[in-house]
Amino acid sequence: MEIYYKNSKGKKIYLDRFPYIVLDEATLFDSEWDYQANEASTQIIKFTKKMKTKDANINISGSTKEEYYKNVSMLVSVFDTDIISAEPGELHVGEYYLSCYFYKNIKSGNFRNVKKSTITFSVVAENDQWIKETCIVFRPGTVHEAGQNLDYPHNYPYDYANGLSSQKLVNDSISTCDFEMIIYGTCANPNIRIGDNQYNVDCVVDTGEYLVINSKKRKVYKKKIDGEIENCFYLRNREYYIFEKIPTGNLTVVWNGLFGFDITLSAERSEPEWT
């Protein structure tokens, strides 16, 4: 099970091998839910997750004192990049990651003039949940009527279909999931039904463009060929909630079959699954 940190600029540092080893005795993987109780009946009403701080003890080493100093500076620089940009990084453990900041460190008395030391870093997570992302791919169906096909712009080995297409989506997580849906052009007014909900935007997505629906960020936008971002939030179908989370279970996905799209589910847990 790999452990690494990827900061907001994409710089990755492994924390399970030389020169950085995160130690198991830290509180990093501890979990706690906050709860709200009805004082009159002493019954618990609901559980929530709030911003939490944790500790991560990281052993840093080098074959020489100079290499050790360099490794310490590198690690702090990777963490501080997120602080400066105010964008969280991702602490990955196996298939899961925690969106967080490493905002503080405490060094021991023997920090200098050595080739190894343990530094305690403080970590803060706005949402104290570990996330596993799973991407499900949906591609245009195969049309059976000659002369009715449209070429797909991303060189897939088949053409668009003209009839309705359906495919299964399995959400086997323990709760509903946030999602990011990426719809590829060419298509007009894309409409996708998942279970009992519809995700529909009244816009045209040209060849080489794509439309993004992100439930967690509450954003709907189109990435144009020239790189321009067009806000499409106001073009959403208001009859259905476009940011409705994907429910658990075996779901049927229905669309007209004339375009392809990807759905990335973000499953959340209090701690990573240990394998």
Side-chain angles (χ1 to χ4, degrees):
M1 179 183 294
E2 288 187 334
I3 301 176
Y4 64 88
Y5 185 79
K6 183 172 70 174
N7 72 7
S8 56
K9 304 304 179 184
K11 176 67 175 178
K12 182 189 293 187
I13 288 190
Y14 287 93
L15 301 175
D16 59 355
R17 65 199 69 174
F18 180 88
Y20 310 112
I21 302 292
V22 62
L23 304 179
D24 292 337
E25 66 264 27
T27 63
L28 187 59
F29 302 117
D30 291 349
S31 174
E32 179 183 1
W33 287 88
D34 293 296
Y35 61 89
Q36 181 179 343
N38 186 321
E39 296 182 2
S41 63
T42 67
Q43 290 181 331
I44 294 177
I45 300 173
K46 64 179 180 179
F47 289 90
T48 58
K49 281 281 190 177
K50 296 181 180 179
M51 187 180 300
K52 294 291 184 182
T53 58
K54 303 182 178 186
D55 290 333
N57 295 326
I58 300 178
N59 187 275
I60 307 174
S61 58
S63 55
T64 64
K65 286 192 294 184
E66 289 73 20
E67 184 183 53
Y68 158 74
Y69 291 147
K70 180 181 178 181
N71 291 338
V72 172
S73 297
M74 172 64 73
L75 187 62
V76 172
S77 295
V78 169
F79 293 154
D80 282 356
T81 297
D82 300 330
I83 304 298
I84 294 169
S85 64
E87 297 179 35
E90 298 173 355
L91 177 62
H92 288 252
V93 177
E95 295 182 318
Y96 288 81
Y97 71 87
L98 179 71
S99 181
C100 61
Y101 296 91
F102 281 69
Y103 72 98
K104 175 183 176 181
N105 71 75
I106 300 176
K107 302 176 180 66
S108 61
N110 62 344
F111 164 69
R112 293 184 59 82
N113 297 318
V114 294
K115 293 189 289 185
K116 178 189 295 186
S117 72
T118 298
I119 299 178
T120 299
F121 289 87
S122 294
V123 182
V124 61
E126 294 175 332
N127 177 25
D128 187 29
Q129 291 279 63
W130 292 83
I131 299 170
K132 177 183 177 181
E133 294 183 344
T134 303
C135 182
I136 303 99
V137 174
F138 300 84
R139 291 295 173 251
T142 301
V143 70
H144 298 289
E145 188 173 346
Q148 299 293 321
N149 298 0
L150 296 173
D151 289 334
Y152 194 62
H154 296 290
N155 296 322
Y156 289 102
Y158 39 76
D159 298 327
Y160 284 131
N162 286 334
L164 288 177
S165 294
S166 67
Q167 187 172 326
K168 292 296 184 181
L169 183 155
V170 179
N171 178 7
D172 58 2
S173 65
I174 61 177
S175 65
T176 58
C177 289
D178 275 308
F179 69 90
E180 181 174 80
M181 185 183 299
I182 301 178
I183 300 171
Y184 303 101
T186 303
C187 62
N189 307 325
N191 184 27
I192 300 167
R193 175 180 285 275
I194 303 176
D196 296 327
N197 197 57
Q198 289 190 36
Y199 304 84
N200 175 222
V201 183
D202 186 16
C203 71
V204 174
V205 186
D206 289 327
T207 302
E209 298 181 338
Y210 59 86
L211 178 73
V212 177
I213 304 171
N214 190 301
S215 67
K216 192 167 189 177
K217 296 179 179 179
R218 303 293 192 270
K219 290 185 177 182
V220 183
Y221 62 90
K222 182 168 63 174
K223 181 72 174 293
K224 296 185 176 182
I225 299 175
D226 60 4
E228 179 186 353
I229 302 296
E230 178 183 339
N231 183 9
C232 297
F233 180 80
Y234 67 98
L235 297 174
R236 72 195 187 282
N237 183 349
R238 291 172 171 81
E239 293 183 17
Y240 294 87
Y241 184 47
I242 201 166
F243 302 128
E244 183 73 25
K245 292 184 178 183
I246 306 300
T248 59
N250 195 337
L251 307 169
T252 299
V253 180
V254 179
W255 77 106
N256 65 9
L258 301 181
F259 58 90
F261 58 98
D262 302 333
I263 298 177
T264 299
L265 301 180
S266 296
E268 295 184 345
R269 290 175 53 91
S270 296
E271 61 182 61
E273 287 188 286
W274 301 110
T275 58

